[in-house]
């Protein structure tokens, strides 16, 4: 039985603008771990079905609050009418910043926040932690975004300009509402590599056998990073084998992810 109480938190009026908040019983001044699922930003994935649900379950072994964030996602088939740019980004930003509204009510320590994402969720996690570098003239600019101390990005898309480094490049163009050649400033405001915040402690995890998102996404970010970045390359891992799910996954790789999560939680001081 979980020692956490589960609440549903709404940060907007759309059906996808919510999060599951898990609160440890009998704990105050609680560190927060935020989980963002991936799935190429498409609406055929959910909090319960995506592989990051295993991370949410594992986190309940710790005395931390867990925010499992949902957001508006693109139509899996046809035109992107459910989440045209910048809906997905606005939702992630609003969902995180909503913690400042409910933080005191739930005794959350917003000075100790860890953000974890996988694949497109890794993109959104790294982006969200870097929002302080978004240009003032962008629709996504925020003067005082929630400060994120640490990030773990697993198999993440980190460079939206390198569409040839993902196996479904059309999804980036759909997410952004066009190609970088005509939407350059829009891409800059949503691209983790371009924003590249110095203020976060970032752990990048990637499998050398990943055929969905090129390992080059992680390696290039690590090469040009301005802040503190820890690069973890798993030689035998592919895109999904590090997380328990219905497909093929490896216990040894999942144990390594668990260790990285535990290490980052311990470092939230």
């Amino acid at each position: 039985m979980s020692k956490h109480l589960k609440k549903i938190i709404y940060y907007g009026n759309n059906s996808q603008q919510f999060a599951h908040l898990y609160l440890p019983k009998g704990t105050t001044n609680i560190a927060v771990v935020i989980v963002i699922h991936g799935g190429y930003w498409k609406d055929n994935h959910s909090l319960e079905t995506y592989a990051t649900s295993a991370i949410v379950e594992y986190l309940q072994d710790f005395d931390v609050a867990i925010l499992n964030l949902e957001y508006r996602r693109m139509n899996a088939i046809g035109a992107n009418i459910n989440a045209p740019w910048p809906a997905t980004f606005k939702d992630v930003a609003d969902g995180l910043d909503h913690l400042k509204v409910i933080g005191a009510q739930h005794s959350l320590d917003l000075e100790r926040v860890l953000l974890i994402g996988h694949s497109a969720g890794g993109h959104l996690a790294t982006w969200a932690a870097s929002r302080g570098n978004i240009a003032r003239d962008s629709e996504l600019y925020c003067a005082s975004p929630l400060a994120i101390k640490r990030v773990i990005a697993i198999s993440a898309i980190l460079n939206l300009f390198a569409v040839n480094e993902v196996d479904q490049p059309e999804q980036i163009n759909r997410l952004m509402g066009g190609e970088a050649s005509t939407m350059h400033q829009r891409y800059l405001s949503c691209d983790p590599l371009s924003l590249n915040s110095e203020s976060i402690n970032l752990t990048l995890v990637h499998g050398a056998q990943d055929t969905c998102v090129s390992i080059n996404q992680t390696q290039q970010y690590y090469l040009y990073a301005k802040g503190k970045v820890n690069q973890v390359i798993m030689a035998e891992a592919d895109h999904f084998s590090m997380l328990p799910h219905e497909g093929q996954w490896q216990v040894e790789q999942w144990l390594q992810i668990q260790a990285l999560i535990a290490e980052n939680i311990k470092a939230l001081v």
Side-chain angles (χ1 to χ4, degrees):
M1 180 180 294
S2 172
K3 62 183 178 180
H4 285 65
L5 296 172
K6 179 181 176 182
K7 297 176 178 287
I8 299 178
I9 302 297
Y10 298 93
Y11 61 87
N13 297 321
N14 187 276
S15 62
Q16 290 182 318
Q17 292 174 319
F18 71 94
H20 291 165
L21 177 65
Y22 299 81
L23 297 167
K25 301 171 187 176
T27 305
T28 59
N29 196 35
I30 317 165
V32 182
V33 183
I34 303 164
V35 179
I36 304 183
H37 74 79
Y40 265 127
W41 312 280
K42 296 186 292 186
D43 63 4
N44 54 350
H45 302 278
S46 69
L47 300 185
E48 292 82 6
T49 63
Y50 198 75
T52 44
S53 60
I55 293 176
V56 175
E57 182 177 350
Y58 171 65
L59 287 169
Q60 292 176 57
D61 291 337
F62 298 87
D63 284 325
V64 298
I66 308 153
L67 189 78
N68 193 16
L69 185 66
E70 189 56 283
Y71 50 91
R72 278 176 289 178
R73 292 168 277 116
M74 300 187 299
N75 305 70
I77 300 174
N80 177 21
I81 59 173
N82 281 348
W85 189 92
T88 294
F89 297 93
K90 283 282 192 182
D91 283 3
V92 171
D94 290 348
L96 268 60
D97 289 342
H98 189 66
L99 287 173
K100 294 188 288 185
V101 177
I102 65 172
Q105 173 189 353
H106 297 297
S107 193
L108 305 179
D109 183 354
L110 300 184
E111 297 296 320
R112 297 188 294 145
V113 179
L114 166 64
L115 191 46
I116 305 173
H118 176 266
S119 192
H123 158 251
L124 293 169
T126 312
W127 170 80
S130 306
R131 285 190 293 145
N133 289 341
I134 295 175
R136 286 180 175 269
D137 59 355
S138 169
E139 291 181 51
L140 294 171
Y141 173 76
C142 178
S144 56
L146 179 72
I148 308 296
K149 194 163 190 177
R150 307 182 77 88
V151 177
I152 302 174
I154 306 166
S155 307
I157 299 170
L158 298 167
N159 181 1
L160 296 180
F161 290 93
V163 295
N164 60 313
E165 292 182 354
V166 300
D167 68 339
Q168 297 182 36
E170 69 279 3
Q171 303 305 340
I172 293 179
N173 295 333
R174 295 177 73 229
L175 174 74
M176 302 303 295
E179 297 182 359
S181 58
T182 57
M183 303 284 187
H184 188 72
Q185 292 302 316
R186 181 180 290 187
Y187 272 67
L188 286 177
S189 69
C190 300
D191 181 55
L193 182 59
S194 300
L195 297 174
N196 205 332
S197 176
E198 298 179 14
S199 62
I200 56 174
N201 188 311
L202 176 61
T203 298
L204 297 176
V205 186
H206 218 110
Q209 308 303 317
D210 194 331
T211 58
C212 296
V213 177
S214 170
I215 194 175
N216 192 53
Q217 291 270 308
T218 284
Q219 291 173 328
Q220 288 297 305
Y221 192 104
Y222 180 77
L223 182 64
Y224 293 106
K226 298 175 183 176
K228 185 175 181 180
V229 181
N230 176 32
Q231 181 181 222
V232 179
I233 304 299
M234 296 191 187
E236 302 302 321
D238 61 27
H239 194 67
F240 281 106
S241 61
M242 293 174 274
L243 301 176
H245 63 104
E246 293 181 356
Q248 298 294 320
W249 60 279
Q250 301 298 320
V251 173
E252 296 82 2
Q253 295 172 18
W254 171 228
L255 290 173
Q256 191 171 349
I257 294 295
Q258 289 180 327
L260 288 170
I261 292 172
E263 177 185 322
N264 274 266
I265 290 174
K266 185 178 180 180
L268 287 175
V269 295

